[in-house]
């Protein structure tokens, strides 16, 4: 009864991968590809990994300070 989060590899995905992820999502799984977010201006690979981990923890409902959250174009992140 716990959430299932699938974090598939980046690519290539074949039809079988897509079909199985689709079927898992129909059963309630969350598909969360590890797509790097560059709006927070990561400086290292560790920053990118930390952001992904922080977002996965958010999906599990675990409060964390690992990643910076998007606050819109007027906020700290995304503004130049």
């Amino acid at each position: 009864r716990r959430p299932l989060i699938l974090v598939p590899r980046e690519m290539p995905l074949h039809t079988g991968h897509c079909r199985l992820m689709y079927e898992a999502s129909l059963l309630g799984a969350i598909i969360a590809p590890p797509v790097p977010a560059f709006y927070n201006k990561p400086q290292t690979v560790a920053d990118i990994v930390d952001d992904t981990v922080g977002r996965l923890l958010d999906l599990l409902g675990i409060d964390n300070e690992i990643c910076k959250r998007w606050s819109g174009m007027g906020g700290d992140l995304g503004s130049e």
Side-chain angles (χ1 to χ4, degrees), residues 39-62:
Y39 58 80
N40 59 3
K41 301 179 180 76
Q43 300 298 309
T44 65
V45 173
D47 291 342
I48 295 170
V49 172
D50 287 349
D51 182 68
T52 299
V53 170
R55 289 189 287 147
L56 292 172
L57 290 172
D58 279 347
L59 287 173
L60 290 169
I62 300 171

Side-chain angles (χ1 to χ4, degrees), residues 66-77:
I66 296 174
C67 65
K68 297 176 184 175
R69 287 165 187 79
W70 175 255
S71 58
M73 294 302 289
D76 292 345
L77 298 177

Side-chain angles (χ1 to χ4, degrees), residues 5-69:
I5 301 173
L6 300 177
V7 185
R9 66 182 191 176
E10 70 285 354
M11 67 172 205
L13 296 174
H14 60 65
T15 304
H17 293 133
C18 295
R19 183 182 311 116
L20 290 171
M21 287 190 293
Y22 171 75
E23 290 176 9
S25 72
L26 290 176
L27 295 171
I30 298 168
I31 313 300
V35 179
F38 293 104
Y39 58 80
N40 59 3
K41 301 179 180 76
Q43 300 298 309
T44 65
V45 173
D47 291 342
I48 295 170
V49 172
D50 287 349
D51 182 68
T52 299
V53 170
R55 289 189 287 147
L56 292 172
L57 290 172
D58 279 347
L59 287 173
L60 290 169
I62 300 171
D63 288 333
N64 69 85
E65 297 296 324
I66 296 174
C67 65
K68 297 176 184 175
R69 287 165 187 79

